[in-house]
Amino acid sequence: MSCPHAAAHGTASSDGAVVIDPLVQDLDGETARLRAIGPLARIELLGVPAWTVTRHALARRLLLDPRLVKDIDAWELWRGGQVTRAWPLIGMIDAGRSMFTVDGAEHRRLRTKTSQALTPRRLEEIRPEIEKFTEELLDALAEHAARSEDGAVDLKAVYAQPLPMRVIGMLMGVDETQHPMLLKRYKAFFSMLTPQDERLALLAELDDFYAALVRERTARPTDDLTSALILAEEGGEPLTEEEVIGNLKAMVAAGHETTIGLILNSVRALLAHPDQLRKVLDGEVAWETVIEETLRWDTPTTHLLMRFATEDIRVGNDVIAKGEGVVISYRVIGRDTEQHGPDADEFDVTRPTPIRHMTFGHGPHICPGAALSRVEAGIALPALFARFPELRAAVPDDEIRKLPVMTQNDMEAFPVLLHG
């Protein structure tokens, strides 16, 4: 099995599949090419073939189809040994037992406590803490800008990145002193520039970290999600240590990565469309609409890996064969002209509402942290522009570089000027 790390973005493989560029050099071009193929497209992920879904309606249908499962043992390439632990993306699929890797009754059992910990009532209870974190980070932005020679400050490093890590860390009971370590390890894990032996070592380190946290909370439970996952409800079946670790590892990753992208992509879109920003600041357009339009137009997740067919599934003239892998390309789906109209490629906060996207998924595996991400962005964005109404980008938009991450829509840095 080959892994062409430097393949040209959007080029075709020998069998006509679109080769997804791990360096993410032309995300808009990839989106357009995949959309042009049709609702279902053949792709190649670092030498591994798969199908990807590019239409809203088809994604809604397939995400409810019980013939598509998360169990990696249903993947023919895995069972046959063509895909091994040497494949750089394997850690996103073979990630241990958690609510993200099982289906049916077992999925419901593993997901229930997480859902209970992220109810609307619970999110309202922690809103003051999120607001407090936000104000502290706004102060930090001002301090960094004051110390900078040109007044520029990296909005990602100082604001958009630490906020969701603080929030998810608070919910999970992860001490704030550990946040830099976790951010560093997750960044290296997702990066396609990290050698696979280092990535596997990072996964082992994260397993050790969460295992130690689970043992500590088992001995001394507190009011956090880690303790809740450990403690079984009366008459319920407790989660195993492996299941608790798997849930924690994936929730911390998803709980901060998605919100980073949502905050940064929202700010970037508004700064690139000053007329729309003015409507928002004048109160003509709600921040909730900005968030939903950003989630549709510039999704935090580009390609979600992966489901596997337990039997042949016919889609039009194509057949997803038993044992094949299926990716959900949420960014392409967000630009679906059949769902969002001929102007789907345009960012427009004045488009008719509600904006019915499916960026957080659909069906049983819909993102459990979707409401949390919306709450965080709903606090962070208006607070940022209220404190710094003259905020603008410090570099031309085309100089903002994407991180080499095949699944997340994230940027290396976002330099801004706080006072125009």
Side-chain angles (χ1 to χ4, degrees), residues 143-185:
E143 292 167 5
H144 278 76
R147 293 197 301 267
S148 170
E149 290 185 4
D150 59 0
V153 57
D154 182 0
L155 188 68
K156 177 181 178 179
V158 182
Y159 189 67
Q161 184 169 265
L163 176 60
M165 180 55 79
R166 280 196 189 183
V167 175
I168 198 68
M170 173 187 67
L171 285 169
M172 300 294 181
V174 177
D175 191 270
E176 194 168 332
T177 60
Q178 301 296 323
H179 294 179
M181 176 275 293
L182 289 173
L183 286 168
K184 180 179 179 181
R185 279 163 175 72

Side-chain angles (χ1 to χ4, degrees), residues 206-244:
L206 287 170
D207 282 341
D208 290 343
F209 171 79
Y210 289 116
L213 178 61
V214 169
R215 287 192 295 269
E216 179 183 336
R217 290 296 185 270
T218 300
R220 291 175 292 278
T222 59
D223 183 22
D224 56 43
L225 182 53
T226 301
S227 301
L229 290 172
I230 295 167
L231 299 172
E233 299 290 346
E234 185 175 348
E237 182 183 351
L239 274 61
T240 66
E241 182 175 287
E242 178 193 5
E243 290 168 344
V244 175

Side-chain angles (χ1 to χ4, degrees), residues 67 100 108 200 203 331 340 346 353-355 385:
R67 296 172 295 176
F100 298 92
R108 290 189 292 274
L200 293 175
L203 284 174
R331 193 174 194 274
H340 301 292
E346 301 299 322
T353 56
I355 300 166
F385 282 96

Side-chain angles (χ1 to χ4, degrees), residues 40-274:
L40 198 63
R42 293 295 287 176
I43 60 172
E44 186 177 292
L45 298 164
L46 301 177
V48 172
W51 292 99
T52 195
V53 183
T54 69
R55 294 293 192 274
H56 183 101
L58 179 60
R60 283 180 65 90
R61 175 158 69 87
L62 291 180
L63 289 172
L64 294 174
D65 195 319
R67 296 172 295 176
L68 283 175
V69 301
K70 300 285 258 179
D71 182 3
I72 192 174
D73 289 329
W75 192 14
E76 182 62 33
L77 294 177
W78 176 254
R79 291 199 310 267
Q82 293 95 326
V83 172
T84 69
R85 297 288 290 174
W87 188 49
L89 297 174
I90 195 63
M92 300 183 195
I93 303 171
D94 185 29
R97 185 174 172 80
S98 75
M99 62 180 167
F100 298 92
T101 59
V102 298
D103 297 283
E106 280 299 277
H107 170 257
R108 290 189 292 274
R109 182 178 74 86
L110 294 177
R111 181 183 172 110
T112 297
K113 285 192 175 181
T114 300
S115 300
Q116 291 171 345
L118 297 175
T119 61
R121 179 178 177 180
R122 175 60 173 151
L123 295 182
E124 283 306 306
E125 288 174 354
I126 66 172
R127 178 179 288 273
E129 288 297 314
I130 301 175
E131 292 172 343
K132 174 175 173 289
F133 295 156
T134 298
E135 289 301 315
E136 292 172 356
L137 293 172
L138 290 171
D139 291 341
L141 271 177
E143 292 167 5
H144 278 76
R147 293 197 301 267
S148 170
E149 290 185 4
D150 59 0
V153 57
D154 182 0
L155 188 68
K156 177 181 178 179
V158 182
Y159 189 67
Q161 184 169 265
L163 176 60
M165 180 55 79
R166 280 196 189 183
V167 175
I168 198 68
M170 173 187 67
L171 285 169
M172 300 294 181
V174 177
D175 191 270
E176 194 168 332
T177 60
Q178 301 296 323
H179 294 179
M181 176 275 293
L182 289 173
L183 286 168
K184 180 179 179 181
R185 279 163 175 72
Y186 278 112
K187 178 181 179 181
F189 166 73
F190 283 114
S191 174
M192 290 296 99
L193 299 181
T194 302
Q196 182 62 357
D197 58 343
E198 292 184 19
R199 183 178 289 106
L200 293 175
L202 284 169
L203 284 174
E205 290 174 9
L206 287 170
D207 282 341
D208 290 343
F209 171 79
Y210 289 116
L213 178 61
V214 169
R215 287 192 295 269
E216 179 183 336
R217 290 296 185 270
T218 300
R220 291 175 292 278
T222 59
D223 183 22
D224 56 43
L225 182 53
T226 301
S227 301
L229 290 172
I230 295 167
L231 299 172
E233 299 290 346
E234 185 175 348
E237 182 183 351
L239 274 61
T240 66
E241 182 175 287
E242 178 193 5
E243 290 168 344
V244 175
I245 291 170
N247 273 3
L248 289 174
K249 189 166 58 175
M251 276 296 294
V252 174
H256 79 278
E257 281 289 339
T258 300
T259 309
I260 292 170
L262 174 54
I263 293 171
L264 292 177
N265 295 344
S266 297
V267 175
R268 183 182 186 183
L270 289 172
L271 294 183
H273 298 83

